[in-house]
């Protein structure tokens, strides 16, 4: 019934198996990829005709995790998987980026790649399997895809690179880097690091690229057994239209792209477009039957050709800068008056308002995933409203762009955060992009670094980031520092590097051509290092270290440790005791299973009051000490006194006075304050107290003198 084909190989100490022909046979291409006990089902389907008027490549990548894969039931009311999680969105982007540039130029048929994690062993992350599966499914499908690609994860520990480290290995690793590429070149890099050098980062990319070669060979071997016939796709030849446009408005485009101001430049490009369209679309001068869609594609190629050619010939950028020159920077810390920390970061026509807010453990985010539920204390949210690029648009929840850019900045900053034991606050950063013309994600890194320092977060060092570009024509290339939006769209690479003066904390690379070489990456990293140091210097003019104290608007916090056997006493039955502490002191109190108590409030007085109450509860009374207590119960045989936090003890009727007392009510009533001495504990652990040995007016102990009398 099944025409099953498979390949397998030993890869970094585990078996990787790729199978096809048994599951999802109606998809154009489908494979099951298994590594350890983690399995991903990958499918690829493409439309056999393009939609009329389609002027872009409609590729959709959907990575999804099923909770049954790790034997879990989803949290929440509905108990089924809902909207994509942050991990699913980020992995979808991760897989999209290296495969998109490898489709034949001009192919605009709709393509959908679906990756489903259906088994997870809690050791081998399914994201790498999803990337391998997407590559294999596309190669088998017959789509015009110039693959395959491979992928690998690289860690770094004790001076050694780790290929495909497990989840536990990554906890001790100084690096988490994912690299994807073809047999000849690297296509994509995504990473976070603990201030590693450029040399180590480049070595990790090379190590990952070398490690993925057997996987690429395995996909080719499977394709030789099971691939479908290639789809007959012939790209439209628009060379004649390109030449006609270049001849007509090439000079105009060259002049337009020398205008430094973005909106003015766009207006000049628009005028050249209108001029060419009027002459060439639907007229006798048109090279053949030139439709509006064909003109649009050809004009975009003409733009790219003019801009790229000018940069390679002259070494001058669109806005007149040199290849390694960074745009003017202005940074301002303490930009907003009532926030805990804030900054305004402006670099050329890119600007971000970044805000830091400090919270308690109540503000930590619960994250439900295949690994289980965990709490995150460092949050970074990136917002990109349409007005930032002078456009109108729909305003809604965070999309893939916002989630991806926010996570990139999060990765860049996490390496410099203080240890939770030293700084127990939850940290939320928000970046509001108010202007955008090139790398708002790196502006977010710079602005959020300043905002944290303004809030008094004791980061180890400030972090800056820069976006690099590439113009590659044959053997000739130019690496561009701090790229503009147009240079990003018309160039071949978007290479982002963030880090401190001590090293790289995050590196992300996307390639729009069939990959780049080690030499180009090495030059880009070196040039990026110089740019980062320049930006750090400009940031330092606003703030070069964390402020000595927290903002007066931020909550104050103290942490103490109590014995684990006292946690129940602090909480009380049904939370009665801890609610009483909160109500009486005005502070917020959180207690963990290990006995860590976090007390926070806007004023120190409330914190001190709560701490005093907690210490009284957990402290142990000492035999021989005198305490002031309150009468809480009267019995025929004595009284019960609350003398030490929640602790009560018995004063027997014989210990109430140095005379005979018939009934306790002759001396006290419930609610009275009395002085007692802790005499010890009986065989059952009950507390024994005495009033008669303490002066009830002064609270001092009464002792007998040598003559048998009494003295204080």
């Amino acid at each position: 019934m099944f025409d099953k084909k498979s390949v397998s190989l030993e890869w970094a100490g585990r078996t990787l198996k790729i199978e096809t022909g048994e599951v999802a046979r109606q998809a154009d291409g489908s494979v099951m990829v298994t590594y350890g006990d983690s399995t991903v089902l990958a499918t690829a389907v493409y439309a056999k005709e393009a939609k009329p008027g389609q002027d872009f490549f409609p590729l959709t990548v959907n990575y999804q995790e099923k909770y049954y894969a790790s034997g879990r039931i989803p949290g929440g009311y509905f108990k089924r998987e809902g909207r994509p999680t942050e991990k699913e969105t980020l992995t979808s982007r991760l897989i999209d980026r290296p495969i998109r540039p490898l489709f034949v130029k001009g192919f605009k048929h709709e393509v959908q790649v679906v990756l489903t994690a259906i088994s997870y062993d809690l050791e081998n992350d399914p994201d790498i399997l999803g990337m391998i599966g997407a590559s294999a499914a596309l190669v088998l499908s017959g789509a015009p895809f110039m693959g395959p690609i491979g992928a690998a994860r690289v860690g770094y520990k004790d001076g050694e690179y780790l290929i495909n480290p497990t989840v536990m290995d990554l906890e001790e690793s100084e690096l988490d880097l994912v690299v994807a590429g073809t047999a000849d070149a690297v296509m994509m890099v995504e990473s976070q690091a603990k201030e590693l050098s450029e040399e180590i980062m480049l070595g990790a990319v090379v190590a990952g690229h070398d490690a993925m070669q057997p996987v690429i060979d395995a996909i080719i071997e499977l394709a030789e057994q099971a691939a479908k016939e290639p789809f007959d796709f012939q790209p439209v030849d628009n060379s004649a239209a390109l030449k006609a446009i270049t001849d007509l408005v090439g000079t105009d485009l060259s002049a337009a792209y020398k205008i430094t101001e973005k909106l003015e430049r766009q207006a000049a490009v628009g005028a050249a477009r209108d001029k060419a369209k009027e002459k060439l679309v639907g007229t006798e001068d048109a090279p053949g039957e030139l439709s509006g869609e064909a003109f649009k594609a050809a004009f975009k190629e003409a733009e790219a050709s003019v801009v790229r050619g000018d940069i390679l010939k002259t070494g001058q950028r669109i806005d007149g800068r040199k290849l390694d020159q960074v745009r003017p920077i202005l940074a301002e810390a303490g930009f907003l008056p009532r926030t805990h920390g804030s900054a305004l970061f402006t670099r050329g026509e890119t600007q971000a308002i970044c805000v830091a807010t400090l919270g308690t453990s109540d503000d930590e985010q619960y994250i439900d995933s295949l690994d289980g539920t965990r709490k995150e204390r460092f949050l970074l949210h990136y917002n990109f409203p349409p007005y930032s690029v002078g456009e109108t648009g729909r305003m809604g929840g965070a999309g893939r762009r916002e989630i991806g850019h926010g996570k990139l900045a999060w990765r860049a900053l996490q390496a410099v955060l203080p240890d939770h034991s030293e700084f127990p606050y939850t940290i939320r950063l928000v970046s509001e992009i108010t202007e955008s013309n090139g790398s708002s994600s790196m502006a977010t890194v710079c602005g959020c670094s300043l905002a944290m320092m303004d809030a008094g977060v004791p980061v180890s060092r400030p972090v800056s980031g820069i976006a690099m570009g590439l113009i590659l024509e044959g053997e000739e290339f130019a690496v561009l520092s701090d790229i503009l939006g147009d240079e990003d769209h018309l160039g071949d690479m978007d290479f982002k590097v963030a880090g401190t003066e001590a090293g790289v904390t995050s590196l992300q690379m996307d390639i729009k051509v069939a990959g780049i070489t080690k030499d180009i990456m090495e030059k880009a990293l070196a040039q990026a290092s110089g740019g980062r140091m320049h930006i750090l210097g400009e940031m330092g003019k606003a703030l070069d270290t964390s402020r000595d104290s927290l903002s007066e608007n931020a909550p104050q916090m103290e942490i103490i440790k109590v014995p684990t056997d006292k946690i129940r006493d602090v909480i009380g039955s049904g939370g009665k005791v801890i609610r009483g502490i909160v109500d009486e002191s005005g502070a917020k109190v959180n207690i963990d299973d290990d006995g860590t108590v976090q007390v926070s409030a806007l004023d120190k007085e409330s914190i001190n009051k709560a701490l005093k109450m907690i210490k009284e509860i957990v402290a142990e009374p000492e035999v021989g000490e005198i305490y002031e207590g309150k009468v809480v119960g009267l019995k025929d045989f004595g009284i019960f006194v609350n003398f030490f936090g929640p602790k009560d003890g018995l004063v027997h009727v014989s210990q109430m006075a140095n005379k005979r007392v018939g009934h306790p009510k002759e001396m006290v009533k419930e609610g009275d304050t009395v002085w007692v001495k802790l005499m010890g504990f009986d065989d059952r652990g009950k507390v024994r107290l005495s009033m008669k040995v303490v002066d009830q007016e002064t609270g001092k102990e009464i002792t007998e003198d040598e003559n048998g009398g009494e003295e204080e």
Side-chain angles (χ1 to χ4, degrees):
M1 182 176 182
F2 300 122
D3 183 17
K4 189 173 177 181
K5 309 290 184 183
S6 70
V7 293
S8 62
L9 68 151
E10 288 301 308
W11 191 38
R14 281 145 285 170
T15 300
L16 175 70
K17 188 174 184 180
I18 310 174
E19 306 169 88
T20 189
E22 184 177 22
V23 178
R25 291 171 296 162
Q26 295 184 49
D28 291 320
S30 69
V31 295
M32 296 266 284
V33 184
T34 302
Y35 192 50
D37 283 337
S38 292
T39 301
V40 169
L41 169 63
T43 63
V45 176
Y46 64 97
K48 306 310 178 283
E49 294 182 359
K51 292 181 180 178
Q54 185 78 53
D55 61 352
F56 65 95
F57 175 38
L59 168 66
T60 305
V61 176
N62 295 106
Y63 169 83
Q64 52 189 2
E65 295 179 335
K66 300 300 183 180
Y67 279 71
Y68 58 71
S70 61
R72 299 189 65 240
I73 295 175
Y77 183 80
F78 294 105
K79 298 300 177 187
R80 71 173 296 165
E81 294 82 0
R83 60 177 296 178
T85 64
E86 181 180 277
K87 167 70 184 299
E88 290 171 321
T89 298
L90 293 170
T91 305
S92 296
R93 284 171 54 90
L94 194 71
I95 297 169
D96 182 299
R97 285 156 48 195
I99 65 175
R100 184 177 290 272
L102 292 177
F103 282 86
V104 171
K105 186 177 180 181
F107 186 68
K108 293 182 172 58
H109 298 220
E110 187 170 2
V111 178
Q112 184 176 41
V113 180
V114 179
L115 302 313
T116 310
I118 55 178
S119 179
Y120 179 43
D121 59 10
L122 304 180
E123 290 187 354
N124 300 290
D125 197 312
D127 56 0
I128 297 295
L129 308 189
M131 204 171 301
I132 294 169
S135 170
L138 285 168
V139 168
L140 296 183
S141 71
F145 174 70
M146 298 182 295
I149 63 164
R153 173 171 271 107
V154 183
Y156 186 75
K157 180 183 177 183
D158 300 330
E160 299 287 337
Y161 293 115
L162 310 174
I163 301 301
N164 292 341
T166 65
V167 173
M168 289 188 64
D169 290 336
L170 280 176
E171 291 179 2
E172 299 178 356
S173 174
E174 298 176 67
L175 173 69
D176 181 2
L177 180 143
V178 175
V179 58
T182 63
D184 302 319
V186 173
M187 298 296 301
M188 185 278 301
V189 178
E190 183 77 50
S191 67
Q192 64 184 68
K194 296 180 180 178
E195 297 180 286
L196 298 178
S197 68
E198 281 80 4
E199 291 76 16
I200 292 175
M201 296 298 290
L202 180 59
V205 174
V206 173
H209 187 251
D210 290 342
M212 72 178 69
Q213 297 308 311
V215 178
I216 294 174
D217 293 339
I219 295 174
I220 293 173
E221 181 184 343
L222 183 64
E224 290 173 347
Q225 303 176 52
K228 295 180 179 178
E229 288 297 317
F231 179 68
D232 184 18
F233 172 74
Q234 299 298 325
V236 176
D237 181 8
N238 60 358
S239 56
L242 175 62
K243 183 179 185 306
I245 292 171
T246 304
D247 290 344
L248 184 63
V249 296
T251 304
D252 295 347
L253 285 173
S254 184
Y257 276 106
K258 288 182 173 60
I259 300 172
T260 58
E261 203 275 324
K262 177 183 175 181
L263 296 180
E264 188 179 341
R265 179 171 64 251
Q266 288 178 339
V269 171
R273 183 188 299 110
D274 293 341
K275 176 181 176 181
K277 189 174 183 178
E278 183 180 353
K279 288 281 188 179
L280 298 177
V281 177
T283 68
E284 294 181 357
D285 296 329
E289 294 292 331
L290 187 61
S291 66
E293 290 77 17
F295 170 82
K296 188 174 181 180
F299 188 85
K300 187 175 181 180
E301 281 192 54
E303 281 186 88
S305 177
V306 168
V307 172
R308 294 159 64 89
D310 286 352
I311 290 175
L312 289 174
K313 288 175 188 175
T314 66
Q316 292 290 316
R317 313 268 292 277
I318 288 176
D319 55 1
R321 283 182 292 148
K322 297 177 181 178
L323 299 182
D324 61 352
Q325 187 176 351
V326 178
R327 287 170 290 174
I329 291 171
L330 183 61
E332 181 181 346
F335 181 66
L336 301 175
R338 286 286 297 177
T339 58
H340 298 167
S342 62
L344 177 68
F345 182 84
T346 307
R347 186 189 62 243
E349 294 172 305
T350 297
Q351 185 182 75
I353 297 175
C354 297
V355 182
T357 307
L358 305 180
T360 67
S361 59
D362 282 351
D363 299 306
E364 293 177 343
Q365 182 181 13
Y366 282 86
I367 297 176
D368 197 24
S369 68
L370 293 185
D371 297 290
T373 301
R374 61 182 176 86
K375 293 194 290 186
E376 178 59 63
R377 72 179 187 96
F378 177 48
L379 314 173
L380 194 153
H381 298 142
Y382 165 102
N383 297 315
F384 190 88
Y387 67 75
S388 65
V389 288
E391 298 176 357
T392 60
R394 178 179 173 272
M395 299 283 285
R400 285 191 174 189
R401 174 195 175 95
E402 284 77 13
I403 292 172
H405 281 40
K407 190 63 174 183
L408 173 59
W410 183 96
R411 289 191 176 107
L413 294 167
Q414 54 80 35
V416 301
L417 294 178
D419 188 82
H420 187 246
S421 61
E422 300 173 6
F423 192 77
Y425 289 88
T426 296
I427 304 169
R428 183 193 183 218
L429 300 173
V430 177
S431 174
E432 306 286 357
I433 303 303
T434 52
E435 295 180 27
S436 181
N437 185 13
S439 194
S440 55
S441 62
M442 294 297 97
T444 294
V445 171
C446 300
C448 285
S449 177
L450 288 170
M452 280 200 292
M453 292 193 292
D454 183 51
V457 178
V459 297
S460 57
R461 277 174 286 271
V463 181
S464 70
I466 188 170
M468 311 296 292
L470 174 72
I471 303 296
L472 177 64
E473 294 289 349
E475 297 294 321
E476 193 176 5
F477 71 91
V479 175
L480 316 179
S481 295
D482 180 26
I483 54 175
L484 299 171
D486 287 335
E487 290 171 335
D488 183 8
H489 300 148
L490 302 176
D492 298 318
M493 176 180 76
D494 184 6
F495 188 99
K496 298 183 175 77
V497 187
T500 68
E501 61 181 7
V504 175
T505 58
S506 183
L507 186 155
Q508 183 187 84
M509 183 183 75
D510 292 317
I511 297 299
K512 301 172 187 175
V513 290
I516 62 170
T517 64
K518 178 183 175 183
D519 291 341
I520 295 176
M521 282 192 65
E522 193 168 14
K523 178 172 176 57
L525 277 168
Q527 196 166 311
S529 178
R532 282 195 298 110
M533 297 309 148
H534 169 74
I535 295 171
L536 281 172
E538 296 299 303
M539 290 166 58
K541 294 176 182 178
L543 195 61
D544 60 0
T545 188
S546 297
R547 301 198 189 279
D548 295 332
S549 60
L550 300 182
S551 164
E552 62 181 15
N553 298 320
Q556 306 295 310
M557 190 180 298
E558 293 284 347
I559 289 184
I560 61 170
K561 198 93 167 180
V562 302
T564 54
D565 60 347
K566 299 291 184 182
I567 294 175
R568 182 177 296 179
D569 295 335
V570 176
I571 296 175
S573 177
K576 180 180 179 182
V577 174
I578 199 168
R579 284 199 302 271
I581 295 171
V582 171
D583 291 342
E584 189 172 336
S585 67
K588 186 183 291 185
V589 180
N590 294 288
I591 184 165
D592 294 333
D593 293 339
D594 64 352
T596 301
V597 182
Q598 188 183 92
V599 183
S600 59
L602 289 176
D603 61 280
K604 200 71 175 177
E605 184 179 344
S606 296
I607 292 176
N608 291 337
K609 188 172 184 178
L611 288 174
K612 181 175 183 294
M613 296 172 72
I614 293 169
K615 290 175 180 178
E616 287 177 349
I617 293 171
V618 301
E620 293 290 345
E622 297 182 20
V623 175
E625 290 294 315
I626 295 173
Y627 300 95
E628 187 178 25
K630 181 184 291 185
V631 178
V632 293
L634 279 71
K635 303 292 182 181
D636 291 343
F637 53 82
I639 63 173
F640 287 97
V641 177
N642 174 232
F643 73 102
F644 193 88
K647 294 186 180 298
D648 297 342
L650 172 66
V651 181
H652 192 268
V653 68
S654 63
Q655 292 292 319
M656 294 185 67
N658 289 306
K659 61 180 181 179
R660 185 180 182 281
V661 178
H663 193 280
K665 65 183 178 182
E666 296 175 6
M667 290 188 61
V668 297
K669 62 181 182 298
E670 194 168 331
D672 284 353
T673 299
V674 296
W675 289 97
V676 294
K677 179 180 179 179
L678 176 57
M679 306 303 291
F681 305 89
D682 63 18
D683 295 339
R684 295 176 296 172
K686 300 294 185 181
V687 177
R688 293 189 293 110
L689 304 174
S690 175
M691 289 172 55
K692 72 179 184 179
V693 296
V694 185
D695 188 307
Q696 293 301 307
E697 291 184 5
T698 64
K700 294 183 178 180
E701 186 173 2
I702 300 172
T703 60
E704 294 186 1
D705 61 18
E706 294 178 357
N707 298 321
E710 294 182 350
E711 65 178 9
E712 290 188 16

